[in-house]
């Protein structure tokens, strides 16, 4: 990959004698693969000169533009990006999607008649709009992973893989924990997850608008300190860090001094400041160009979110209730509030919220969180409002004071978007009553382990070189394991069962990578133990032919089965069936 910076300034374009070397244009980075695929990250005012450079090539361009978020300093170059206005050019445009919003209309807002003389209808090029959430998608020979950032607008970081190299772009992000802005504390919780998204990358381009001494006065503005960026890089195990989104008040000389200080404090990291015109090569261009993994288009949203999200607010303090209500006043979100614990438990069951906000000052907070976690709310994020200390094992985050309505609005959007279910429950077979009758007639449910079955799961684990093999029986509301190798689980709910899908389809089910399959990406057996990444299950049948379960194999790493291996798994499943018949 070859990177070129066309804009490095944050918040406001600042051309002038004090910004000549690092540049005054706002964010825009061009990435080109060895194959020649062009990817543009953000289109601030730096996008104007990039567009002119593309036009000087003298031929129609084909490109992809990914926008981290739609604040002005990241999209102001779009109305001045000449290739959009010339026939023959073809571009795909990607940006985060909120609730009920058209991406095209959002990006066109700055081109309304009141503000600008030309509307998007003047685009003569073919411009296709794509909505983004968290996940993964492919752009020709690029594989791109996305993750929400902490900013007063729905904002995405991009992890970009091509040509044997990995680049991460994380612009407009604020530390989740205020103390992390100093760069002097170890990262925890969401800040640690932020660094984990970058683990093993060759290069990080990271927001670094503030100095640590400035951060206290800038909290809630949505930007990082240079010190925090360095801690993120070190925690992620990344040795090359490019600081970007320079404050409009920061002169070239001040950037020089800040980088010099940071290099002395972090000598183990190669630190540079992004400058307009800077070119960086990543990867080995002599290597064959890799083909991205198949599938995984999870980050692409087909259109505006459909169902109105529901938020349950459990709070007694009036100012919290008022601020949350004002934060969501203009959002297509149903907010239900209570300060009563008994009513909260009832509402959690009736409302089936997509997000629960709990005032951490309530004496019963711990009990409420435990209650919610115990009533099939495992996939619903619980967020603490205010308070101090760790969030615990159940709450996913905390909204620290001081927080503005605008900041809360974006964080609530992020929590709801992140909680969207990428998890399909298996269909119930039409002849379910007969199927359950055949299962129960065998008399195997809840019986002690038997060596004749354990021998077969041990054989399956060894034959396919997987850590886990299971004989699963799918009952009315659970899957129960007659035999397991490599796990202590004895049963799971049917709704999270992979085997139930194979039973419903009456066919072998193979999932090479659960992260790339929207039926299973957020399944509890994927996001928590046993953390299934690969699954293959061959149906096993009762003597009357009814599918009652599977012989399945699991791995924590993605893989696939050859046709020969699929045949072997079916053969082993037939051996299990033979044991059922002998039992009968």
């Amino acid at each position: 990959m070859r990177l070129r910076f066309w804009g490095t300034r944050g918040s406001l374009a600042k051309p002038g004698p004090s910004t000549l070397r690092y540049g005054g244009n706002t964010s825009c980075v061009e990435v080109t693969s060895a194959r020649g695929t062009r990817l543009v990250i953000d289109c601030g005012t730096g996008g104007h000169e990039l567009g002119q450079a593309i036009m000087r090539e003298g031929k129609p361009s084909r490109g992809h533009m990914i926008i981290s978020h739609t604040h002005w300093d990241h999209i102001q170059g779009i109305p001045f990006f000449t290739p959009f206005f010339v026939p023959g050019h073809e571009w795909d445009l990607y940006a985060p999607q909120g609730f009920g919003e058209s991406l095209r209309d959002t990006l066109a807002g700055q081109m309304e008649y009141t503000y600008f003389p030309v509307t998007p209808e003047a685009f003569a090029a073919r411009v296709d709009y794509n909505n983004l959430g968290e996940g993964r998608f492919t752009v020709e020979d690029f594989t791109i992973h996305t993750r929400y950032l902490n900013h007063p607008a729905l904002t995405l970081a991009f992890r970009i893989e091509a040509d044997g190299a990995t680049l991460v772009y994380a612009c407009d992000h604020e530390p989740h924990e205020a103390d992390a802005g100093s760069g002097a504390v170890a990262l925890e919780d969401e800040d640690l997850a932020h660094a984990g998204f970058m683990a093993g990358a060759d290069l990080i381009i990271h927001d670094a608008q503030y100095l640590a001494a400035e951060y206290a006065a800038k909290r809630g503005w949505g930007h990082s300190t240079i010190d925090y960026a360095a801690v993120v890089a070190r925690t992620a195990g990344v040795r090359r860090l490019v600081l970007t989104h320079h404050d409009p008040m920061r002169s070239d000389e001040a950037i020089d001094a800040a980088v010099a200080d940071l290099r002395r404090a972090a000598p183990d990291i190669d630190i540079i400041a992004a400058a307009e015109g800077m070119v960086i090569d990543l990867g080995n261009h002599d290597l064959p160009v890799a083909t991205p993994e198949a599938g995984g288009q999870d980050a692409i949203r087909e259109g505006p979110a459909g169902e109105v999200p529901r938020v349950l607010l459990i709070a007694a303090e009036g100012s919290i209730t008022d601020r949350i209500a004002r934060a969501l006043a203009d959002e297509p979100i149903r907010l239900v509030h209570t300060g009563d614990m008994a009513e909260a438990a009832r509402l959690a069951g009736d409302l089936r919220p997509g997000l629960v906000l709990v005032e951490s000052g309530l004496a019963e907070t711990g009990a409420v969180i435990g209650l919610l976690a115990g009533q099939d709310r495992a996939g619903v994020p619980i967020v603490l409002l205010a308070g101090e200390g760790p969030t615990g094992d159940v709450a996913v985050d905390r909204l620290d004071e001081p927080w503005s309505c605008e900041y809360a609005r974006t964080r609530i959007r992020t929590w709801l978007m992140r909680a969207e279910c990428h998890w399909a429950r298996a269909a119930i077979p039409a002849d379910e009553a007969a199927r359950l009758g055949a299962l129960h007639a065998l008399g195997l449910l809840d019986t002690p382990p038997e060596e004749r079955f354990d021998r077969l799961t041990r054989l399956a684990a060894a034959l396919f070189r997987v850590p886990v093999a299971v004989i699963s029986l799918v009952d009315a509301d659970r899957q129960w394991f007659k035999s397991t190798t490599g796990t202590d689980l004895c049963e799971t709910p049917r709704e999270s069962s992979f085997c139930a899908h194979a039973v419903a389809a009456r066919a072998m089910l193979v999932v090479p990578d659960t992260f790339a399959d929207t039926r299973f990406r957020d399944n509890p057996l994927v996001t928590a133990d046993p953390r299934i990444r690969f699954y293959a299950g061959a149906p096993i049948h009762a003597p009357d032919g009814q599918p009652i379960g599977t012989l399945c194999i699991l791995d924590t790493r993605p893989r696939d089965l050859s046709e020969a291996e699929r045949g072997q798994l079916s053969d082993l499943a037939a051996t299990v069936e033979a044991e059922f018949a002998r039992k009968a």
Side-chain angles (χ1 to χ4, degrees):
M1 290 188 283
R2 169 161 288 184
L3 287 62
R4 178 162 182 164
F5 292 85
W6 295 91
T8 64
R9 193 64 50 175
S11 301
L12 176 71
K14 192 67 181 293
S18 67
T19 60
L20 288 175
R21 285 189 289 112
Y22 290 103
N25 282 305
T26 57
S27 300
C28 184
V29 180
E30 179 187 21
V31 185
T32 308
S33 73
R35 185 183 292 173
T37 305
R38 175 179 273 136
L39 185 70
V40 176
I41 311 173
D42 282 338
C43 193
T45 59
H48 172 261
E49 184 54 36
L50 169 58
Q52 295 301 303
I54 292 172
M55 296 307 298
R56 288 194 290 270
E57 294 173 358
K59 59 182 179 180
S61 62
R62 171 80 176 103
H64 309 270
M65 183 179 290
I66 55 176
I67 305 296
S68 63
H69 65 300
T70 53
H71 277 171
W72 279 351
D73 54 327
H74 295 257
I75 63 172
Q76 277 181 312
I78 290 176
F80 301 94
F81 190 72
T82 306
F84 284 174
F85 296 89
V86 179
H89 295 257
E90 297 182 1
W91 283 79
D92 289 304
L93 193 57
Y94 304 80
Q97 176 213 1
F99 298 117
E101 300 166 349
S102 159
L103 172 58
R104 183 183 183 281
D105 290 344
T106 300
L107 294 174
Q110 65 174 337
M111 299 174 71
E112 291 179 2
Y113 174 77
T114 305
Y115 311 111
F116 198 74
V118 178
T119 68
E121 280 69 28
F123 289 169
R126 182 190 62 74
V127 179
D128 289 336
Y129 298 87
N130 300 275
N131 301 302
L132 287 181
E134 275 191 343
R136 185 185 73 173
F137 65 108
T138 57
V139 168
E140 299 188 46
D141 49 330
F142 286 107
T143 297
I144 304 172
H145 303 256
T146 61
R147 189 177 196 277
Y148 289 120
L149 296 174
N150 189 22
H151 189 67
L154 209 57
T155 305
L156 288 170
F158 302 113
R159 182 183 176 103
I160 301 165
E161 302 166 355
D163 303 332
T166 299
L167 156 74
V168 177
Y169 178 91
C171 207
D172 288 55
H173 173 76
E174 179 168 357
H176 291 268
E177 175 62 43
D179 291 344
S182 68
V185 299
L187 303 183
E188 298 179 346
D189 299 329
E190 279 292 297
D191 290 309
L192 187 60
H194 175 65
F197 179 72
M198 307 179 193
D202 297 280
L203 178 75
I204 294 174
I205 302 172
H206 202 285
D207 185 312
Q209 183 153 344
Y210 304 133
L211 305 180
E214 301 168 338
Y215 182 55
K218 309 289 186 179
R219 279 196 61 195
W221 291 22
H223 296 288
S224 296
T225 65
I226 65 171
D227 313 81
Y228 174 78
V231 172
V232 167
R234 181 181 295 115
T235 305
V238 177
R239 300 306 177 197
R240 300 183 70 188
L241 171 64
V242 179
L243 307 176
T244 193
H245 212 268
H246 309 309
D247 193 276
M249 298 298 291
R250 193 99 54 223
S251 67
D252 290 338
E253 289 72 20
I255 293 175
D256 287 339
V259 171
D261 289 344
L262 190 61
R263 285 172 175 167
R264 285 190 289 270
D268 54 324
I269 304 172
D270 178 14
I271 301 171
I272 58 176
E276 285 185 30
M278 176 187 292
V279 174
I280 299 175
D281 287 324
L282 291 178
N284 185 348
H285 287 236
D286 295 326
L287 290 175
V289 178
T291 301
E293 296 178 41
Q297 303 293 317
D298 303 332
I300 304 293
R301 300 177 182 274
E302 295 302 323
E307 185 179 353
V308 174
R310 297 175 294 275
V311 174
L312 174 61
L313 171 63
I314 307 172
E317 210 278 307
S319 68
I320 290 179
T321 303
D322 178 65
R323 280 185 291 166
I324 293 294
R326 283 188 284 125
L328 299 182
D330 295 327
E331 290 285 340
I333 293 174
R334 181 185 175 193
L335 176 65
V336 176
H337 164 251
T338 181
D340 180 77
M341 296 302 113
E343 185 181 20
R346 179 184 63 77
L347 288 172
D350 296 343
L351 183 67
R352 299 191 66 82
L355 172 67
V356 177
L357 306 175
V358 183
E359 181 186 342
S360 61
L362 296 175
E364 302 91 337
T365 293
V368 171
I369 290 176
L371 176 65
L372 294 170
Q375 47 171 247
D376 192 26
R377 304 266 63 80
V380 176
I382 299 172
V383 175
L384 301 181
L385 302 178
E388 297 179 350
T391 57
D393 295 333
V394 178
V396 299
D397 209 346
R398 181 191 299 279
L399 193 60
D400 286 319
E401 295 283 5
W403 50 268
S404 65
C405 293
E406 294 77 14
Y407 182 75
R409 178 182 183 178
T410 301
R411 296 303 298 153
I412 290 170
R413 275 185 170 211
T414 299
W415 291 317
L416 285 168
M417 290 288 191
R418 186 169 282 163
E420 281 190 333
C421 186
H422 294 271
W423 167 24
R425 293 156 177 80
I428 301 298
D431 57 348
E432 177 70 352
R435 193 192 70 81
L436 289 175
L439 170 62
H440 295 158
L442 287 175
L444 287 172
L445 291 171
D446 301 310
T447 57
E450 297 182 58
E451 174 60 22
R452 62 196 181 107
F453 292 115
D454 294 344
R455 183 185 306 116
L456 294 174
T457 53
R458 291 197 302 268
L459 178 60
L463 177 63
F464 297 103
R465 302 175 301 282
V466 294
V468 178
V470 173
I471 295 174
S472 171
L473 302 176
V474 179
D475 201 0
D477 59 359
R478 61 171 176 159
Q479 64 172 355
W480 181 78
F481 303 145
K482 175 57 183 173
S483 175
T484 64
T485 292
T487 179
D488 293 329
L489 286 175
C490 60
E491 66 177 53
T492 75
R494 180 173 178 172
E495 66 176 10
S496 60
S497 167
F498 284 61
C499 301
H501 287 265
V503 167
R506 297 176 181 261
M508 180 180 293
L509 173 67
V510 179
V511 184
D513 186 352
T514 57
F515 288 4
D517 193 318
T518 54
R519 295 173 298 171
F520 302 108
R521 195 182 95 190
D522 292 337
N523 186 296
L525 301 179
V526 174
T527 59
D529 288 338
R531 301 193 181 279
I532 300 171
R533 190 73 184 271
F534 160 81
Y535 171 91
I540 49 179
H541 303 82
D544 68 351
Q546 285 286 351
I548 57 174
T550 75
L551 171 64
C552 63
I553 53 176
L554 318 174
D555 204 338
T556 55
R557 299 171 298 176
R559 54 172 294 179
D560 205 346
L561 292 183
S562 66
E563 287 301 318
E565 289 174 321
R566 293 177 188 226
Q568 291 167 350
L569 186 60
S570 292
D571 290 343
L572 279 178
T575 305
V576 175
E577 293 174 356
E579 291 296 330
F580 288 166
R582 186 164 69 86
K583 175 76 173 182

